[in-house]
Amino acid sequence: MKLVTAIVHNEDAGDLVDALLEKDFRATRLHSSGGFLKQGNATILVGVEDDQVDQVLEIVSASCHARRQFVNPMPPIMEPGEFYMPYPVEVEVGGATVFVLPVERFERL
Ligand code: 2BA
């Protein structure tokens, strides 16, 4: 068994969970936030048999889309009288960051 952990954009998370449930995959949505942008995203956990991993990855890929976002870089430490004009930096976020982890044991008690 494997645990598919997908970090996705908040706007894609609802569609992804719906698409997973439609194919009878159980999923858990966690509210998370990115370390770099410090904006909310969603972490979707899906426990599946090994031979179902590719199907789950296809659903993730079809439901999640890359987006371009702007981030304001941290200003440098300034000396008195220095002037700093911050320019937003554009980064591409997602579609999805996915980790597939082995599951040692699965119980529903
Ligand atoms: P964030 O950490 O907020 O990163 C958002 C986007 O900013 C990243 O998109 C990437 O394009 C850019 N970025 C991140 N760190 C950067 C850096 N040090 N320098 C320049 N640009 C940087 P994605 O790569 O698609 O990642 C989307 C979200 O997935 C991340 O949000 C984070 O929550 C998660 N993630 C990505 N890689 C991860 C990893 N190796 N481990 C854990 N979480 C990860």
Side-chain angles (χ1 to χ4, degrees):
M1 189 172 197
K2 296 282 192 285
L3 181 66
V4 180
T5 303
I7 303 163
V8 305
H9 203 280
N10 261 336
E11 288 173 29
D12 293 330
D15 286 349
L16 173 56
V17 171
D18 288 348
L20 288 166
L21 294 183
E22 206 171 286
K23 298 285 181 190
D24 287 332
F25 291 112
R26 293 165 185 259
T28 296
R29 175 177 174 168
L30 305 175
H31 295 277
S32 47
S33 44
F36 187 66
L37 293 181
K38 307 201 177 351
Q39 291 179 357
N41 53 24
T43 300
I44 311 296
L45 304 179
V46 195
V48 292
E49 297 303 329
D50 289 18
D51 61 2
Q52 296 175 310
V53 169
D54 287 342
Q55 196 186 348
V56 168
L57 295 187
E58 279 170 25
I59 295 171
V60 172
S61 176
S63 305
C64 301
H65 310 287
R67 291 174 175 78
R68 302 199 73 80
Q69 284 183 226
F70 287 92
V71 56
N72 287 311
M74 290 286 289
I77 297 165
M78 306 289 292
E79 297 294 331
E82 281 185 330
F83 177 72
Y84 171 72
M85 175 68 81
Y87 288 104
V89 176
E90 193 177 25
V91 293
E92 183 170 292
V93 184
T97 300
V98 181
F99 302 92
V100 180
L101 310 169
V103 174
E104 193 168 314
R105 182 168 163 175
F106 168 68
E107 304 272 0
R108 292 174 68 212
L109 304 173

